């Protein structure tokens, strides 16, 4: 049976996320927990289903095990359907020429036969390291209305930061006339979000052409977009307004978690019309004890709080023992904070166990990180900015 | 390993003493402990006992129960080799659609029992909370060569004057049963669950109905114990058992979960209690919130004071609001300066600014669903 989809999404989830240090030593970046209940990948996946896109390929490469099992059948996002759904796409051997994904464009190129099965008109390219709520269907409509070959989602960044981004310089019609990667003297402040809608035929054509160029890095930003501009294709920018955060570094991941604590939060996760779905764990409601104290915090089901939790995010099944203090911190699932331990300006990863009286981080300085399943001995002292774990 | 047991849950318990709480729902669908429904505990118990096929006998007001159970996906009961069978009441020549009791219900659903292929059957009421591995029950059942084995508890908290079924047990065998005694004489309370060989149960039910019996325990079981033709065994449920059959017992059984020991007993890491999911963000504590000895589900927004209470999903507690010793069901809103004490607020109740609802401790006040006060 021939299937036909208007739009298929391809989610690039293969990067290592080296700037997240020990947090991505054992898992791919999109599988890193966020906001107490979520993993980073829940945002693009939920955006897809909320926007009516029910076919998503997830391209994995680096440490995919946890991501694979997290995605599973796709049921948490209603992506376990028979004519579409979510597909995990690792690099695979093609006769004698199996190879790793050499770049973002190459990853899509290697999976063109996957896309072909659905015979789509458009392909949405997403990345798995951003926290945002975005209605991709609006972007798709913009693309269709302007009869573009490629639409790039952009957002306006402060001018002083513009030189850190890939910038899309546009004419007054919103057509992209120039692409500049991290220029010293920016001509615009339209930063690319790494979210693209391609007309499928154009995508295939330029991916095939790009593969023939041995000098290409097979990257959308560096290669595909400049080539298309040179060829005179119609490239348009689509303005995204709303909260968007790249959580590619320890500091930005911590920041984005803290953003959820401000009132009102810059990204509303309570929004019943645009839910962010996640794989749920079967945990009872969290317990706030008589001795404990919780202020300005996010606390997830399964937690038991006997100590103090201030301006922090607690993921599912975190145990905070008596006299422990968790301040300005992000605690990932199943972590245990021992009696009298003090966690300040820190990220404690999944399943870590902080021994009694240990001190992690401090009032000032960079974020301290305890890696997943790390056992921190009683009384241990981890200084601000340091990382501990295997 | 798979077990050769089919499960059957009866949801037609008497609900008159649950007042408004069961006006639109079966006792089995009562919201419990912040995010569950009462039936989740029995259902999870069966699932952790590796029972893969479970029938649920529906009686009255089963809409919310159907909505909750859906395809059974959350309990992993939606596969080809497993399944959840909803057995709603239906009218037939012999059957007017409303069951007199469990015996009647079993007889009406005898087809489900016949179609099952498992050798044994575990039958349970849905308004009880207990922890048991039915594989252990079956093992004892077979070892003791019993024909039917009843689950019982020595937990004194489930005893009620003038209410309940009490067992005299001699050498592992039930020798006497008493029903609703003014003061119970025996220390063992029947928890409303039993196991038997499936084909034997079909036969027993058939014959009991044919001989004019209407009640399962009062009629059929009682007769079996008296006649001594069959061996009626007994299996003790360890730990705390709760029976939810009145507003007071509903209130107390929920509040008991504020106790660390009981919570640990009911929610073991290796035996999670499964329930229908609702994708909510974690609970948010904002500003001057003060929360103590309270269970809080995801999706709550707390800016006020909460003590000794249970907050279900999506409850909003505004600044200056105070909640004490209360159960607040999902999506309730407690506005600024409002005060609630010893109350059970059903779903989507709104208390306006400065409204005070204070009930005596011994008689919790139930506020019906969707009310705005």
């Amino acid at each position: 049976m021939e299937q036909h989809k208007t739009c298929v999404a391809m989610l690039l989830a293969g990067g290592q996320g080296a700037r997240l240090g020990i947090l991505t030593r054992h898992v791919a970046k999109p599988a890193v927990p966020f906001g107490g209940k979520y993993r980073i990948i829940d945002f693009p996946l939920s955006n897809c289903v909320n926007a009516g896109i029910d076919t998503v390929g997830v391209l994995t490469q680096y440490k995919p095990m946890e991501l694979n099992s997290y995605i599973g059948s796709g049921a948490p996002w209603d992506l376990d359907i028979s004519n579409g759904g979510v597909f995990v796409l690792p690099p695979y051997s093609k006769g004698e020429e199996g190879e790793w994904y050499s770049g973002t464009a190459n990853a899509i190129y290697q999976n063109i036969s996957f896309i072909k099965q659905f015979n789509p008109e458009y392909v949405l390219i997403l990345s798995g390291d951003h926290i945002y709520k975005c209605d991709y269907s609006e972007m798709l409509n913009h693309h269709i209305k302007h009869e573009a070959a490629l639409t790039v989602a952009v957002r306006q960044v402060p001018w002083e930061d513009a030189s850190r981004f890939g910038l899309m310089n546009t004419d007054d019609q919103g057509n992209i006339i120039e692409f500049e990667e991290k220029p010293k003297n920016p001509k615009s402040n339209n930063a690319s979000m790494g979210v693209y809608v391609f007309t499928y035929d154009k995508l295939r054509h330029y991916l095939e052409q790009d593969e023939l160029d041995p000098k290409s890095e097979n990257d959308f930003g560096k290669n595909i977009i400049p080539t298309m501009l040179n060829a005179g294709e119609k490239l348009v920018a689509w303005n995204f307004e709303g909260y968007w955060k790249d959580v590619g570094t320890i500091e930005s991941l911590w920041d984005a978690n803290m953003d959820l604590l401000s009132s009102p939060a810059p990204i509303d996760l309570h929004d019943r019309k645009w839910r962010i779905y996640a794989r749920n764990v079967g945990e009872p409601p969290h317990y706030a004890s008589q001795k404990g104290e919780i202020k300005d915090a996010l606390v997830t089901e399964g937690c038991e709080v006997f100590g103090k939790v201030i301006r922090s995010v607690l993921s599912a099944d975190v145990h905070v023992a008596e006299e422990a203090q968790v301040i300005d911190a992000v605690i990932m699932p199943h972590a245990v904070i021992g009696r009298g331990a003090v966690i300040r300006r820190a990220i404690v990863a999944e399943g870590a166990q902080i021994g009694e009286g240990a001190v992690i981080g401090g009032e000032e300085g960079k974020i301290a990180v305890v890696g997943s399943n790390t056992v921190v001995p009683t009384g241990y002292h981890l200084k601000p900015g340091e990382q501990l774990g295997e | 390993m798979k077990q050769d047991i089919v499960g059957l849950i009866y949801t037609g318990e008497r609900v008159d003493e649950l007042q408004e709480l069961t006006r639109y729902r079966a006792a089995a669908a009562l919201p419990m402990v912040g995010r569950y429904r009462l039936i989740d505990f029995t259902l999870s118990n069966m699932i952790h006992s590796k029972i893969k096929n479970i029938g649920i006998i529906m009686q009255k007001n089963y809409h919310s129960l159907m909505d909750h159970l859906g395809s059974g996906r959350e309990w992993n009961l939606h596969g080809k080799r497993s399944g959840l069978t909803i057995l709603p009441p239906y009218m037939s020549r012999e059957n007017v659609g409303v069951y007199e009791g469990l015996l009647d219900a079993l007889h009406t659903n005898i087809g489900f029992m016949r179609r099952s292929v498992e050798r044994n059957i575990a039958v349970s009421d849905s308004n009880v909370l207990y922890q048991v591995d039915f594989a252990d029950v079956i093992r004892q059942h077979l070892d003791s060569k019993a024909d039917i084995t009843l689950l019982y508890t020595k937990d004194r908290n489930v005893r009620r004057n003038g209410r309940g079924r009490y067992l005299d047990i001699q050498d592992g065998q039930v020798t006497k049963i008493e029903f609703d005694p003014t003061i119970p004489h025996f220390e063992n309370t029947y928890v409303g669950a039993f196991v038997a060989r499936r084909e034997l149960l079909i036969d027993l039910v058939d014959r009991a109905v044919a001989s004019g019996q209407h009640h399962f325990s009062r009629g059929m079981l009682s007769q079996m114990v008296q006649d001594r033709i069959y061996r009626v065994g007994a299996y003790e449920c360890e730990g705390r058992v709760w029976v939810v059959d009145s507003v007071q017992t509903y209130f107390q059984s929920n509040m008991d979960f504020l106790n660390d020991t009981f919570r640990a007993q009911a929610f073991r890491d290796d035996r999670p209690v499964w329930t229908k999911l609702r994708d909510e963000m974690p609970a948010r504590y904002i500003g001057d919130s003060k929360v103590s000895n309270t269970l809080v589900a995801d999706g709550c927004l707390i800016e006020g004071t909460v003590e000794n209470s249970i907050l279900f999903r999506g409850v909003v507690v505004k600044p200056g609001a105070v909640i004490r010793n209360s159960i607040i069901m999902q999506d309730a809103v407690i506005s600024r300066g409002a005060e609630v004490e010893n109350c059970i607020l059903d779903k989507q109740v709104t208390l306006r600014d400065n409204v005070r609802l204070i009930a005596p401790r011994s008689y919790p006040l139930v506020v019906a669903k969707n009310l705005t006060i």
Side-chain angles (χ1 to χ4, degrees), chain A residues 35-38 75-76 78 80 260-265 268-270 272 275-301 304 306 314 317, chain B residues 33-36 73 78 257-260 263 267 269 272-274 277-303 308 310-311 313-314 331:
Chain A
K37 191 140 182 185
Y38 312 95
D78 276 351
D80 56 336
L260 299 176
L261 300 175
S262 52
S263 190
D268 179 14
L269 300 181
H270 251 292
R272 300 219 163 135
R275 276 188 206 266
I276 303 302
Y277 301 97
R279 185 171 287 280
N280 267 265
V281 280
E283 297 282 355
H286 78 259
Y287 178 67
S289 74
Q290 198 159 6
K291 287 182 183 148
E293 181 186 346
I294 307 176
K295 289 243 189 269
D296 292 315
L298 277 187
V299 183
T300 310
E301 285 171 341
E304 302 250 327
F306 297 92
L314 303 193
D317 191 30
Chain B
V33 204
R35 66 170 297 203
Y36 304 95
R73 179 200 257 175
H78 65 310
F257 281 82
L258 295 177
N259 176 303
D260 297 347
R263 208 163 54 246
F267 300 115
D269 284 348
V273 179
W274 302 110
L277 300 174
R278 199 174 110 157
D279 288 78
E280 292 278 3
M281 71 176 293
R284 281 189 73 184
Y285 290 75
I286 305 168
D288 287 328
S289 62
K290 264 199 205 81
V291 181
S292 112
N293 192 34
T294 291
L295 282 166
V296 183
D298 281 355
C300 289
L301 272 176
I302 308 175
E303 297 178 83
N308 311 322
I310 294 175
L311 306 188
R313 290 181 272 205
D331 301 327

Side-chain angles (χ1 to χ4, degrees), chain A residues 197-216:
Chain A
V197 172
F198 280 92
T199 297
Y200 174 51
D201 293 339
K202 299 287 183 186
L203 174 70
R204 202 170 48 187
H205 172 76
Y206 285 100
L207 286 179
E208 282 165 1
Q209 212 179 53
D210 185 60
E211 283 299 313
L212 297 175
D213 176 3
K215 280 182 277 173
S216 173

Side-chain angles (χ1 to χ4, degrees), chain A residues 11 19 23 36 40 47 107 127 131 141 152 157 161 182 203 210 220 230 248 250 253 266 281 299 310 315 357:
Chain A
L11 206 164
R19 290 175 303 152
L23 290 177
I40 296 168
N47 286 339
S127 61
I131 302 299
N141 288 338
V152 181
V157 294
D161 295 341
K182 297 176 185 160
L203 174 70
D210 185 60
F220 280 110
N230 286 337
I250 297 283
L253 179 65
V281 280
V299 183
I310 314 280
S315 305

